[in-house]
Amino acid sequence: MAEGSWDYSVFWKEAIAQLHTEVSEQEWVMWFNNLRYEGSSADSVTICVPSSFYRDQIQQRYCPRIEQKLKELSGNDISLDFTVRPLEPEEKQERPAKSHPAAESPPPKKPPHPQLKSEYVFESFVVGVNNSFAANAAYAIAKNPGTAYNPCLIYGGVGLGKTHLIQSIGNTVHQDDSARIVYVTAETFTNEFIQSIKNKTNHQFKNKYRSVDVLLIDDIHFLQNKTETQEELFHTFNALYDANKQMVFTCDRPVSELKHLTDRLRSRFERGLNVDLQPPDFETRFAILKRKIEEKNVPISDDVIDLVCRNITTNVRDLEASLTKLIAYADLVNKNITPEVAQQLLKDVFSNPRQSNITIEMIQRVVADYFALSAGDLKGKKRTKAIAFPRQVAMYIAREMTEYSTTEVGLEFGGRDHTTVMHACQRVESRMKTDPTLEPTINHLVRTIKENNAKS
Ligand code: ADP
Ligand code: MG
């Protein structure tokens, strides 16, 4: 076969089909729904994954097995390579309708669960790089409660979708079978517990929580310093865990960062799967707003969505609040919203406007020029000092001059992880303290970037 014309896609498909029969359905949903065959070379198959997290997990969990199968099927030693790239916009739009199995579930047949909001379902949850791991884990749990990923803890900052996801699990299980589901916030759990002691109904309290099939507790950071409630939850946990009952918790930070939690409860939370929710990147913010606008059927143009998404980068709750404001205005004055009107209406929440329209590409070009490299070097894999340091500088400047998140910056640098970007920024900052020439260099680069931008 001629150089460059390798095609192992058939072997890949077969290997994956075999694996499908060997792993559980939740493993399949979780890890394999997001893989796409990208291409082959003489001795490798390249697979596209939506985040570095997936790459690492697939590598650790399945690489040897897949490679073994590829070898058996093709007779060659074929290794797996990965490229990290979020789903293309069109793939993203198709996902909920096509590949997200939740979209095919039948309409609700039962009355809603009394503790759950019926709008918190997987169908209305927009999946992006920032949340796909958590969303897939939650979906896998909802489809097979108590069998894998038990317990599961979803953590992340305010307004990122923790309550939406944990309640989606509850709503899905509620529709699928007759499992007893209890959803509470940690605050309600605490209050009920205290009341039960006061009223001497502690026995009923214990019974209620130890006889559930699925226990969902939201915002467990609230339990800090509540030693007796923690003690009670610890025993509840053990009882349910031994009986293979599903437990899901949410928390506003990793459990390791909760200060006032007993070690033994902490270790219980950490026992199962811990998944995080990151702030949404631009594409995901756009997709979320677009979807909400379509659901509400209000005439708001893509220009306006673009403006809002560029300026509101924090979380989904803030995005929704801005939308509510725009809709209220549109209703009142009965007019279409232009970007100018939106800018005016939301100027207080647009506290952190982007510095003009400087792009990461522009920054890469200037930094690469300065260090006599190419932009491709900065995005590439090489980690020699001569490239690694300029790359860190470029990442640092990108974070300083634009509002892109570390995730977005990482993607622009050859699909690197957001932690790499964070690390780069720390390195540059600490080096500026010891190397007096660095700050002037960076200032010079920033000026050049601004001038280039003004010219373009
Ligand atoms: P948290 O519990 O993490 O503070 P919520 O689950 O309450 O956040 O989410 C805040 C709001 O944003 C809710 O209205 C929720 O429906 C919405 N939301 C969050 N993430 C998404 C998403 N990925 N797609 C659609 N809506 C979302
Ligand atoms: Mg919440």
Side-chain angles (χ1 to χ4, degrees):
M1 206 180 276
E3 186 72 28
S5 61
W6 301 94
D7 183 2
Y8 288 136
S9 58
V10 182
F11 298 132
W12 163 257
K13 269 193 203 135
E14 179 55 29
I16 284 299
Q18 288 182 7
L19 205 65
H20 195 169
T21 64
E22 294 166 17
V23 302
S24 68
E25 197 53 30
Q26 57 268 51
E27 271 181 280
W28 182 260
V29 170
M30 177 131 173
W31 300 115
F32 295 95
N33 265 1
N34 284 315
L35 300 189
R36 272 155 298 138
Y37 171 86
E38 181 116 325
S40 325
S41 75
D43 55 5
S44 71
V45 163
T46 305
I47 298 306
C48 184
V49 290
S51 68
S52 331
F53 182 84
Y54 271 90
R55 180 196 56 208
D56 298 345
Q57 294 291 323
I58 299 278
Q59 236 157 13
Q60 280 170 21
R61 290 168 189 254
Y62 303 106
C63 233
R65 264 161 92 183
I66 298 175
E67 287 176 353
Q68 176 63 29
K69 287 184 188 304
L70 290 173
K71 182 170 180 151
E72 282 162 12
L73 290 161
S74 70
N76 292 344
D77 280 318
I78 301 175
S79 62
L80 276 194
D81 275 347
F82 294 90
T83 47
V84 177
R85 186 158 36 77
L87 298 177
E88 302 291 335
E90 63 271 20
E91 289 175 285
K92 243 185 215 174
Q93 274 167 15
E94 280 179 11
R95 249 176 75 81
K98 273 202 165 160
S99 63
H100 202 301
E104 283 147 33
S105 58
K109 34 193 184 305
K110 274 200 226 163
H113 187 286
Q115 289 145 359
L116 300 171
K117 272 199 187 175
S118 55
E119 62 265 34
Y120 287 155
V121 287
F122 289 113
E123 288 88 332
S124 62
F125 193 83
V126 175
V127 180
V129 217
N130 60 304
N131 62 24
S132 70
F133 181 39
N136 282 313
Y139 187 73
I141 288 167
K143 284 294 168 190
N144 279 290
T147 45
Y149 312 126
N150 194 25
C152 175
L153 184 127
I154 302 169
Y155 66 89
V158 67
L160 296 181
K162 299 184 295 294
T163 299
H164 191 136
L165 277 183
I166 195 174
Q167 292 212 12
S168 297
I169 296 175
N171 275 317
T172 302
V173 178
H174 178 65
Q175 286 305 328
D176 283 358
D177 64 30
S178 55
R180 274 161 305 173
I181 302 156
V182 169
Y183 166 86
V184 274
T185 61
E187 184 173 7
T188 306
F189 183 86
T190 306
N191 293 340
E192 276 183 31
F193 175 63
I194 294 170
Q195 276 304 322
S196 79
I197 292 177
K198 271 197 200 144
N199 302 343
K200 303 203 164 47
T201 53
N202 190 238
H203 187 66
Q204 273 123 291
F205 177 87
K206 280 191 201 316
N207 266 347
K208 170 178 170 186
Y209 283 99
R210 292 179 198 184
S211 64
V212 304
D213 298 311
V214 178
L215 177 61
L216 309 170
I217 303 187
D218 209 352
D219 295 328
I220 55 147
H221 45 272
F222 184 85
L223 295 174
Q224 288 187 100
N225 288 323
K226 317 260 182 330
T227 326
E228 274 154 45
T229 313
Q230 286 180 30
E231 174 80 13
E232 179 64 29
L233 181 57
F234 174 76
H235 293 297
T236 306
F237 185 110
N238 290 343
L240 293 177
Y241 188 81
D242 290 342
N244 289 322
K245 303 299 186 188
Q246 181 70 50
M247 289 173 276
V248 184
F249 306 99
T250 72
C251 187
D252 68 354
R253 69 205 89 164
V255 188
S256 57
E257 287 171 22
L258 290 178
K259 294 228 170 62
H260 307 283
L261 197 69
T262 61
D263 284 342
R264 57 187 202 165
L265 188 56
R266 186 196 316 278
S267 78
R268 292 303 180 282
F269 289 140
E270 285 175 339
R271 183 178 279 178
L273 181 70
N274 285 221
V275 290
D276 71 329
L277 288 167
Q278 293 287 326
D281 51 29
F282 176 80
E283 276 79 31
T284 311
R285 297 200 293 276
F286 197 98
I288 290 173
L289 264 198
K290 183 100 182 152
R291 172 151 198 160
K292 301 212 182 266
I293 285 165
E294 280 165 10
E295 275 165 13
K296 296 188 161 82
N297 198 17
V298 283
I300 291 182
S301 69
D302 285 0
D303 288 354
V304 172
I305 302 179
D306 185 85
L307 177 81
V308 173
C309 292
R310 280 187 190 289
N311 285 284
I312 297 183
T313 55
T314 43
N315 64 56
V316 185
R317 190 168 298 157
D318 292 349
L319 275 181
E320 286 185 337
S322 301
L323 180 62
T324 306
K325 198 161 176 185
L326 294 181
I327 293 175
Y329 179 85
D331 274 353
L332 283 173
V333 299
N334 202 13
K335 261 208 297 217
N336 281 356
I337 305 252
T338 61
E340 291 70 31
V341 170
Q343 175 75 44
Q344 188 56 28
L345 278 173
L346 299 174
K347 64 176 186 300
D348 295 338
V349 279
F350 288 1
S351 50
N352 214 348
R354 270 171 196 271
Q355 291 202 15
S356 70
N357 47 357
I358 289 168
T359 64
I360 296 178
E361 198 200 346
M362 217 178 256
I363 294 169
Q364 287 169 336
R365 243 185 354 247
V366 172
V367 175
D369 262 356
Y370 181 85
F371 288 100
L373 299 167
S374 72
D377 289 330
L378 299 182
K379 292 189 260 187
K381 287 212 170 78
K382 284 214 191 93
R383 300 208 299 208
T384 54
K385 231 176 171 180
I387 297 179
F389 179 61
R391 185 183 289 138
Q392 290 177 338
V393 167
M395 287 178 174
Y396 170 81
I397 294 179
R399 285 289 288 158
E400 289 296 303
M401 293 187 81
T402 73
E403 291 297 318
Y404 289 107
S405 66
T406 48
T407 308
E408 290 171 292
V409 173
L411 284 173
E412 297 287 326
F413 281 83
R416 286 181 159 80
D417 196 61
H418 71 104
T419 53
T420 307
V421 180
M422 279 157 54
H423 175 72
C425 295
Q426 286 158 5
R427 282 295 298 273
V428 171
E429 273 162 22
S430 67
R431 197 158 157 177
M432 269 198 277
K433 289 186 193 128
T434 55
D435 175 357
T437 65
L438 184 53
E439 197 170 345
T441 303
I442 288 181
N443 289 342
H444 167 79
L445 288 166
V446 167
R447 264 198 315 279
T448 314
I449 293 162
K450 282 187 182 160
E451 284 163 15
N452 278 12
N453 184 46
K455 274 185 250 154
S456 69

